[in-house]
Amino acid sequence: MSVEPDPAVVEGLDAWRGLNALQQPTWPDQDELARATAKLGQLPPLVFAGEADALRAQLAAASRGEAFVLVGGDCAETFAEATADNIRNKIKTILQMAVVLTYGASLPVVKVGRMAGQYAKPRSSGDETRDGVTLPAFRGDIVNGFGFTPEDRRPDPQRLLEAYHTSASTLNLIRAFTTGGFASLLRVHEWNRGFIKSPAYARYEVLAAEIDRAIRFMAACGADFEQLRTVDFYSSHEGLLLDYERPLTRIDSRTGLPYDCSAHFVWIGERTRQLDGAHVDFFSRVQNPIGVKLGPTTTTDDALALLDRLNPTGEPGRLTFVTRMGASKVRDLLPEIVEKVSADGRPVTWVCDPMHGNGFTSASGYKTRRFSDVVDEVAGFFEVHRALGTVPGGLLIELTGDDVTEVLGGSEEIDDDGLARRYETLVDPRLNHQQSLELAFQVAELLRQA
Ligand SMILES: O=C[C@H](O)[C@H](O)COP(=O)(O)O
Ligand SMILES: C=C(OP(=O)(O)O)C(=O)O
């Protein structure tokens, strides 16, 4: 039997339209937009509300220190790169990182892909000028094309539909990989195949051999491995483009309540978390677990007001604060926020994004980050939580399973000249496969200490 929604709840889902929505494109043709969003509203949901509830319970466990969350994937997914190889390599990288963390810290890892919907990007500037020509900035494949031509940069509502279909096929493959045997822990070695033989690769092989031995031992003792054959893997993205999120928000027939069925977990970005803005209003009305990015300008009052708006009843797992202060500031700025929010008593899951506070442009002109800063911000995050007796609940990382050269350092020692070798991101630099594994080993150590 399905529960009918309260009409006021349904009406409220459009209240954001009367508020200030930052970082939205200027769609040139409103009729075309209306046709595309109407079509989107008729298409099936991408995820089931019950799955979002299951993730909420796991995020709640992470807030208590009973699990650790790993969110990983591209800065900006692209339609062209939604290929089987790319998706498989990203999943393998996340599974490998999760195994390193689980084994190292004896904690379950909640695996969340920044995948199957991470197509919209906030930009510092609404346009871009090259050689005297000014065009709208690239806002992600869901809005416009990366090519620097007026045709490419024109916001095109058909892209909303293409984002939906590409997300659906990505999710389909994710589900096939994670439930069809590929992600079975009995194949822990296989996930390392095909990657370059690096120090992190070798270190992973040693760990995988230990896991194999432990599994053989347990098998000899008669253990049943059914649970090791599949993994729960969730999808997430920044809930930036409200013309996409709203049509994919559906009423759950079990409860009569709205869920944003574009992904299991959606977060509000640092640039769109205004208390009186459209994003906070919209996401306050959906039932999914929600994240909010907190950058270095966040005050404790901001954080407490966001808690009031997004989790007034203090439901465990509902609200994740993703802090991204920067390596040089995290130890100064994070303690007061964590202390005051913890004193409030309503639970929050604390996740560290060590990427977005550490970007800069290198001498050769590439947008980059230092691997050492990424590691340092994570270390600072753990130190702050340890000092306060609060729980460092997880990590959010921009990564790719490929051998790109976008972040400086790591054991490959990528330097400024090296960035040009394989710099492929369309917006922000990502850890490559090797750097991702290296980070996982370092975080496992921090978790063990914690
Ligand atoms: O991913 C984060 C932002 O979208 C990105 O850093 C903005 O980049 P910009 O400053 O090049 O616009
Ligand atoms: C834009 C992002 O981050 P932030 O909102 O923290 O800048 C992001 O995670 O892609």
Side-chain angles (χ1 to χ4, degrees), residues 75 121-125 271 356 367 398 427-428:
C75 162
K121 295 306 296 175
R123 299 312 303 254
S124 309
S125 167
R271 290 174 169 84
H356 287 89
K367 239 179 131 179
E398 285 180 336
V427 187
D428 279 347

Side-chain angles (χ1 to χ4, degrees), residues 74-76 114 118 120-123 237-238 240 267-272 292-295 322-324 353 355-357 369 396-398 427-428:
D74 269 310
C75 162
R114 202 184 140 109
Q118 177 53 28
K121 295 306 296 175
R123 299 312 303 254
H237 59 259
E238 177 172 351
L240 181 69
W267 72 84
I268 303 172
E270 164 72 359
R271 290 174 169 84
T272 50
V292 187
K293 292 286 199 88
L294 302 182
V322 183
T323 61
R324 31 86 96 215
D353 164 1
M355 314 297 292
H356 287 89
R369 295 158 174 153
L396 183 146
I397 302 291
E398 285 180 336
V427 187
D428 279 347

Side-chain angles (χ1 to χ4, degrees), residues 132-204:
V133 178
T134 300
L135 294 174
F138 172 63
R139 289 189 174 276
D141 264 8
I142 195 169
V143 172
N144 55 3
F146 186 68
F148 195 71
T149 65
E151 299 72 41
D152 275 321
R153 290 295 170 94
R154 177 184 183 274
D156 178 0
Q158 286 308 313
R159 287 176 171 271
L160 295 167
L161 295 165
E162 196 170 350
Y164 169 88
H165 290 296
T166 315
S167 298
S169 56
T170 302
L171 259 182
N172 187 47
L173 195 59
I174 291 175
R175 290 189 194 278
F177 280 146
T178 53
T179 61
F182 177 83
S184 164
L185 200 54
L186 309 178
R187 291 168 56 100
V188 68
H189 279 287
E190 306 282 321
W191 306 336
N192 214 15
R193 294 249 166 91
F195 293 126
I196 55 157
K197 304 253 186 318
S198 62
Y201 179 104
R203 199 168 166 195
Y204 179 85

Side-chain angles (χ1 to χ4, degrees), residues 311-329:
N311 194 15
T313 58
E315 193 187 340
R318 155 71 177 171
L319 183 60
T320 296
F321 277 149
V322 183
T323 61
R324 31 86 96 215
M325 301 292 164
S328 62
K329 301 189 184 127

Side-chain angles (χ1 to χ4, degrees), residues 80 139 148 157 226 252 345 412 419 428 445:
R139 289 189 174 276
F148 195 71
E226 214 34 54
D252 172 26
E412 280 169 287
L419 291 176
D428 279 347
E445 190 52 44

Side-chain angles (χ1 to χ4, degrees), residues 1-130:
M1 200 188 69
S2 70
V3 178
E4 286 307 311
D6 177 342
V9 166
V10 178
E11 199 182 319
L13 292 173
D14 287 303
W16 65 271
R17 295 183 193 279
L19 301 171
N20 194 15
L22 294 184
Q23 297 285 345
Q24 307 302 291
T26 309
W27 301 105
D29 184 336
Q30 289 299 313
D31 291 340
E32 213 184 336
L33 175 66
R35 280 193 295 278
T37 54
K39 175 80 186 137
L40 209 48
Q42 287 158 3
L43 289 166
L46 290 172
V47 303
F48 166 53
E51 295 173 315
D53 291 343
L55 175 59
R56 194 186 316 109
Q58 295 191 27
L59 291 169
S63 75
R64 298 188 295 266
E66 295 160 12
F68 191 74
V69 187
L70 175 63
V71 184
D74 269 310
C75 162
E77 289 180 291
T78 62
F79 300 152
E81 288 192 356
T83 63
D85 279 354
N86 282 333
I87 296 166
R88 187 177 43 235
N89 280 351
K90 257 180 280 181
I91 291 179
K92 284 200 303 188
T93 304
I94 295 169
L95 291 175
Q96 286 188 290
M97 290 178 79
V99 151
V100 169
L101 293 168
T102 308
Y103 193 71
S106 307
L107 261 187
V109 172
V110 184
K111 294 169 264 308
V112 185
R114 202 184 140 109
M115 294 171 77
Q118 177 53 28
Y119 290 112
K121 295 306 296 175
R123 299 312 303 254
S124 309
S125 167
D127 46 44
E128 184 183 346
T129 300
R130 289 190 204 169

